[in-house]
């Protein structure tokens, strides 16, 4: 039913607020699009860590009595869509909480470590016992084994031993820490409440700051660690500097909420520019521009404005579909898509339709939607995709099929057009995507799912970096 890539997680943390856990709950609610399989919150009060985690959506996991038990002035939370580590095991729900010789620690992680298996085997040979199958637990074990004096130093020593993409929150007994990987693949922002002294928030996206009425301060920089404590916000850059950064470009295509701004680029405006560029690269004579809701809407607006073709909501999304449903025994064609999306025949009947979507992964959903629009009476259906062909899987924290399952990896554009049954098919070029997203900026991106150029190499190709530790925390 859902043939999209999925981001792995969303993270949210609060320091020095009397309603820390309640605010984290609201923050996770705003980040629900980043993970719908499980949610968790950990708070700390007088060196005691309080934890509540469960399967399902944020509103299903946490009830008022649960939040009342999460006492303390600081808390971190996590929503998850599993990649490394299966979702079935409740032990795979974050944040992880452990007691160490140096005190308690909680960790929440968005991303994926490419050397997690190697590091896990090494730690197990040295006597470590793992409770979950998540790569996040590798970081926890490495930090717990460190002999460094403070939690930030132990965390740095741990992160120097792993490779991959991550935005990470850690919480000690008296601090909240945010770290972004040196390539800057996953987003992380800092906010604060201006009417409260030394009260801060860390979030995957700015949209969550708006909900809790916190003020955006800045993006955490690639390779930066911020330590929030009674001293305020301290910033460190303990990792070797990269020549360029590699924010996941799919954040701007699909993952992030349209009302978020990431690394200075507004997601909604970037998607409209993407749609406008798509109209320039793949013009078509048509009567209507129709988005595949909801992710295709901003790009379809941009396509409409650039082409002059009217925009219409020819497909309506049912927002109340649960993650599971009972499928009828008697066959209903395209049931999985129809329960989520429904065409409006009065809008599309007899019309030449430009159908705008964000990506083609396996192609199965695109094929069904094109057939639905045609069955509703459309005279022509021209499929336009607001990203390049997806030819490679992601290994950095995105749930993707194997390359064998990706339609564009083994089919030409014409073969994909024939498979989806569209009258024409056009993908945005990689060059056009960069120009539309950057819009005058000079950001670097990870585009491995389109190009096959993986910026973080895998362990057999890597050389050990020179270790840089924090000196004055």
């Amino acid at each position: 039913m859902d043939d999209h890539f999925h981001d792995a997680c969303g993270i949210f943390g609060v320091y020095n607020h009397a309603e820390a856990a309640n605010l984290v709950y609201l923050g996770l609610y705003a980040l629900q699009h980043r993970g719908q399989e499980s949610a968790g919150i950990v708070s700390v009060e007088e060196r005691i860590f309080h934890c509540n985690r469960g399967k399902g959506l944020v509103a299903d996991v946490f009830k008022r009595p649960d939040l009342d038990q999460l006492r303390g002035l600081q808390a971190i939370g996590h929503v998850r869509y599993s990649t490394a580590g299966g979702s079935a095991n409740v032990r795979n729900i974050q944040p992880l909480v452990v007691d160490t010789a140096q005190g308690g620690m909680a960790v929440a992680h968005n991303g994926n470590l490419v050397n997690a298996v190697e590091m896990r085997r090494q730690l197990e040979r040295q006597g470590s016992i793992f409770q979950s199958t998540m790569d996040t637990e590798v970081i926890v074990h490495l930090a717990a084994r460190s002999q460094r004096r403070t939690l930030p130093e132990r965390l740095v020593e741990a992160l120097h031993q792993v490779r991959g993409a991550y935005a990470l929150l850690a919480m000690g007994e008296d601090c909240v820490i945010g770290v972004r990987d040196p390539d800057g693949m996953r987003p992380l922002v800092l906010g604060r409440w201006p009417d409260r002294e030394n009260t801060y928030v860390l979030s995957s996206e700015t949209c969550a700051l708006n909900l809790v009425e916190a003020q955006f301060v800045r993006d955490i920089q690639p390779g930066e660690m911020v330590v929030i404590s009674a001293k305020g916000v301290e910033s460190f850059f303990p990792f070797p500097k990269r020549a360029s950064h590699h924010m996941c470009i799919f954040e701007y295509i699909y993952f992030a909420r349209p009302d978020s701004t990431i690394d200075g680029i507004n997601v909604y405006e970037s998607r409209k520019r993407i749609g406008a560029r798509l109209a320039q690269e793949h013009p078509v004579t048509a009567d209507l521009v129709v988005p595949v809701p909801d992710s295709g809407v901003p790009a379809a607006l941009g396509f409409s404005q650039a082409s002059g073709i009217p925009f219409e909501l020819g497909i309506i999304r049912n927002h109340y579909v649960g993650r599971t449903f009972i499928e009828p025994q008697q066959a209903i064609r395209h049931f999985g898509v129809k329960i989520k999306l429904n065409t409006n025949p009065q809008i599309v009947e007899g019309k030449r339709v430009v159908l705008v979507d964000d990506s083609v992964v396996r192609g199965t959903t695109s094929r069904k939607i094109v057939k639905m629009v045609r069955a509703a009476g459309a005279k022509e259906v021209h499929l336009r995709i607001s990203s390049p062909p997806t030819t490679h899987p992601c290994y950095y924290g995105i749930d993707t099929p194997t390359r064998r399952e990706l339609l564009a990896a083994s089919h030409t554009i014409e073969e994909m057009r024939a498979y989806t049954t569209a009258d024409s098919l056009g993908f945005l070029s990689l060059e056009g995507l960069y120009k539309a997203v950057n819009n005058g900026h000079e950001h670097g991106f990870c585009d491995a799912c389109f190009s096959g150029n993986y910026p973080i190499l895998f362990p057999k190709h890597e050389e050990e970096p020179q270790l840089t530790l924090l000196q004055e925390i």
Side-chain angles (χ1 to χ4, degrees):
M1 185 183 79
D2 192 356
D3 192 23
H4 280 100
F5 284 1
H6 290 276
D7 200 358
C9 311
I11 53 178
F12 194 89
V14 171
Y15 176 82
N16 192 33
H17 198 294
E19 294 193 73
N22 291 337
L23 292 170
V24 170
Y25 167 83
L26 292 173
L28 296 182
Y29 204 94
L31 297 173
Q32 187 73 86
H33 60 286
R34 299 187 73 89
Q36 299 90 44
E37 291 191 349
S38 63
I41 298 175
V42 175
S43 69
V44 61
E45 179 189 45
E46 296 179 355
R47 299 186 177 183
I48 298 175
F49 286 76
H50 307 282
C51 179
N52 191 289
R53 300 174 295 189
K55 296 180 183 179
L57 302 177
V58 173
D60 298 325
V61 172
F62 302 103
K63 305 302 179 185
R64 173 48 55 192
D66 302 317
L67 293 172
D68 289 342
Q69 297 299 313
L70 296 170
R71 299 181 298 274
L73 299 179
Q74 56 192 56
I76 63 173
H78 187 273
V79 288
R80 182 169 193 259
Y81 188 100
S82 65
T83 53
S87 61
N89 189 343
V90 294
R91 292 180 177 180
N92 286 332
I93 301 174
Q94 297 187 46
L96 296 182
V97 187
V98 296
D99 290 318
T100 73
Q102 298 92 351
M105 171 176 58
V107 176
H109 165 222
N110 170 28
N112 208 48
L113 305 180
V114 298
N115 67 335
V117 173
E118 175 187 334
M119 294 304 304
R120 183 186 179 106
R121 288 172 179 166
Q122 178 180 320
L123 287 164
E124 287 175 335
R125 286 195 296 268
Q126 296 171 356
S128 293
I129 299 173
F130 283 77
Q131 299 297 313
S132 74
T133 58
M134 290 184 296
D135 52 358
T136 313
E137 193 174 358
V138 170
I139 299 172
V140 172
H141 276 277
L142 291 171
R145 294 167 66 91
S146 171
Q147 298 302 305
R148 300 288 168 176
R149 183 173 58 87
T150 67
L151 176 57
E153 288 178 312
R154 295 195 297 273
L155 197 58
V156 167
E157 185 170 341
L159 292 174
H160 269 288
Q161 300 173 70
V162 299
R163 298 287 171 273
Y166 55 82
L168 182 142
L169 292 184
M171 184 170 66
E173 296 168 357
D174 57 1
C175 66
V176 173
I177 302 167
V179 192
R180 195 171 168 194
D181 73 76
D183 285 273
M185 285 195 176
R186 306 261 73 85
L188 188 63
V189 300
L190 175 69
R192 67 184 298 267
W193 285 272
D195 58 335
R196 293 175 176 271
E197 185 177 357
N198 199 32
T199 303
Y200 290 92
V201 54
L202 289 162
S203 174
S204 290
E205 294 184 34
T206 58
C207 65
L209 304 185
N210 299 336
L211 178 58
V212 300
E213 298 183 338
Q215 183 182 77
F216 171 76
V217 175
R218 63 179 179 87
D219 292 280
I220 303 304
Q221 297 302 302
E224 182 182 12
M225 168 183 280
V226 292
V227 181
I228 310 174
S229 68
K231 298 179 182 179
V233 178
E234 298 175 283
S235 173
F236 304 90
F237 288 86
F239 306 102
K241 188 176 181 179
R242 298 287 198 265
S244 62
H245 299 147
H246 299 97
M247 161 61 73
C248 172
I249 202 164
F250 232 93
E251 291 283 353
Y252 299 98
I253 298 168
Y254 176 72
F255 295 143
R257 247 175 58 168
D259 51 333
S260 285
T261 297
I262 298 176
D263 283 348
I265 300 173
N266 181 263
V267 174
Y268 176 76
E269 292 296 334
S270 71
R271 289 177 187 170
K272 286 184 65 179
R273 291 193 299 269
I274 285 171
R277 181 79 187 192
L278 182 61
Q280 295 171 15
E281 293 186 0
H282 296 283
V284 61
T285 301
D287 304 305
L288 299 174
V289 176
V290 173
V292 176
D294 288 323
S295 57
V297 171
L301 281 169
F303 192 106
S304 172
Q305 291 172 2
S307 65
I309 302 172
F311 172 94
E312 292 286 355
L313 293 177
I315 301 175
I316 306 301
R317 181 184 173 190
N318 180 356
H319 289 266
Y320 303 97
V321 178
R323 290 190 61 80
T324 59
F325 50 81
I326 300 172
E327 188 163 349
Q329 293 182 354
Q330 292 184 341
I332 295 178
R333 286 185 305 165
H334 318 313
F335 176 77
V337 171
K338 282 185 173 181
I339 198 171
K340 186 175 182 180
L341 303 174
N342 189 48
T343 50
N344 190 341
Q346 289 183 313
I347 298 297
V348 303
E349 188 173 4
K351 303 294 175 55
R352 296 166 298 178
V353 174
V354 181
L355 189 64
V356 179
D357 203 357
D358 60 88
S359 60
V360 173
V361 182
R362 296 178 181 89
T364 52
T365 299
S366 299
R367 175 185 172 97
K368 291 175 182 178
I369 294 173
V370 169
K371 288 188 172 184
M372 282 173 54
V373 174
R374 204 183 298 281
K379 186 162 59 175
E380 298 174 8
V381 181
H382 301 274
L383 187 58
R384 295 293 181 267
I385 306 300
S386 61
S387 64
T390 305
T391 55
H392 291 75
C394 176
Y395 300 105
Y396 304 134
I398 307 302
D399 178 53
T400 60
T402 62
R403 193 174 186 203
R404 183 174 57 184
E405 297 175 275
L406 296 171
L407 187 66
S410 57
H411 293 73
T412 65
I413 302 296
E414 173 55 28
E415 288 171 339
M416 287 190 282
R417 183 209 62 76
Y419 176 76
T420 60
T421 74
D423 290 283
S424 69
L425 171 62
F427 289 86
L428 183 65
S429 68
L430 187 58
E431 178 188 6
L433 177 61
Y434 268 72
K435 288 184 177 179
V437 173
N438 262 326
N439 193 37
H441 294 80
E442 293 297 330
H443 288 299
F445 299 100
C446 175
D447 56 26
C449 53
F450 306 131
S451 67
N453 297 322
Y454 293 94
I456 301 177
L457 300 180
F458 292 81
K460 63 181 180 180
H461 301 298
E462 291 182 320
E463 296 179 0
E464 289 297 317
Q466 184 177 355
L467 186 65
T468 304
L469 287 171
L470 304 184
Q471 300 298 324
E472 298 181 355
I473 296 184

